[in-house]
Amino acid sequence: QVQLVESGGGLVQAGGSLRLSCARSGRTLSTYAMGWFRQAPGKEREFVAAVSWSGTNSVYADSVKGRFTISRDNSKNTVFLQMNSLKPEDTALYYCAARMVLASTQIPSGYDYWGQGTQVTVSS
């Protein structure tokens, strides 16, 4: 069994920064891509960013390009999301997800494991 646990969320003023972390535990995974998604109340789950196993290939939603950076430390089984220049519209529950292949995808159904989310609230 694989478990993903997000942390680092909180309340921040617009223009501020947060770093989210997602730690994996349980069954060891060989190679896997990781992604971040977010969901606001009444909205569909939205792709934010994803990174390949190597950590060298990453993709971002247009809404966060230039502000967010995804990275990973495979030796520590952790993926990060550095969020800068936060805006009120970034407010959501942020989820990390693992995909059991090298390459990432922007489609939620392409991921096999999900964390329970960490809340990010950005005040104006």
Side-chain angles (χ1 to χ4, degrees), residues 36 49 58 60 64 66-71 80-84:
W36 284 96
S58 60
Y60 299 89
V64 305
R67 300 188 297 119
F68 291 10
T69 302
I70 188 171
S71 61
F80 305 95
L81 184 68
Q82 179 66 47
M83 305 185 295
N84 299 325

Side-chain angles (χ1 to χ4, degrees), residues 27-49:
R27 183 173 63 86
T28 299
L29 301 178
S30 54
T31 58
Y32 55 98
M34 296 291 296
W36 284 96
F37 294 79
R38 65 188 183 187
Q39 187 168 25
K43 304 294 183 180
E44 294 184 356
R45 189 162 297 187
E46 175 189 20
F47 170 77
V48 176

Side-chain angles (χ1 to χ4, degrees), residues 4 32-37 45 47-52 59 70 72 95-115:
L4 302 176
Y32 55 98
M34 296 291 296
W36 284 96
F37 294 79
R45 189 162 297 187
F47 170 77
V48 176
V51 64
S52 64
V59 293
I70 188 171
R72 66 190 300 166
Y95 299 88
C96 68
R99 172 174 160 85
M100 301 290 287
V101 295
L102 293 175
S104 65
T105 180
Q106 299 179 45
I107 305 173
S109 61
Y111 289 82
D112 303 290
Y113 302 99
W114 293 82

Side-chain angles (χ1 to χ4, degrees), residues 47-96:
F47 170 77
V48 176
V51 64
S52 64
W53 167 254
S54 68
T56 60
N57 297 309
S58 60
V59 293
Y60 299 89
D62 289 341
S63 60
V64 305
K65 285 181 179 177
R67 300 188 297 119
F68 291 10
T69 302
I70 188 171
S71 61
R72 66 190 300 166
D73 185 341
N74 291 342
S75 66
K76 298 180 179 179
N77 298 314
T78 304
V79 63
F80 305 95
L81 184 68
Q82 179 66 47
M83 305 185 295
N84 299 325
S85 301
L86 283 163
K87 305 175 181 179
E89 51 263 45
D90 294 320
T91 296
L93 188 64
Y94 283 70
Y95 299 88
C96 68

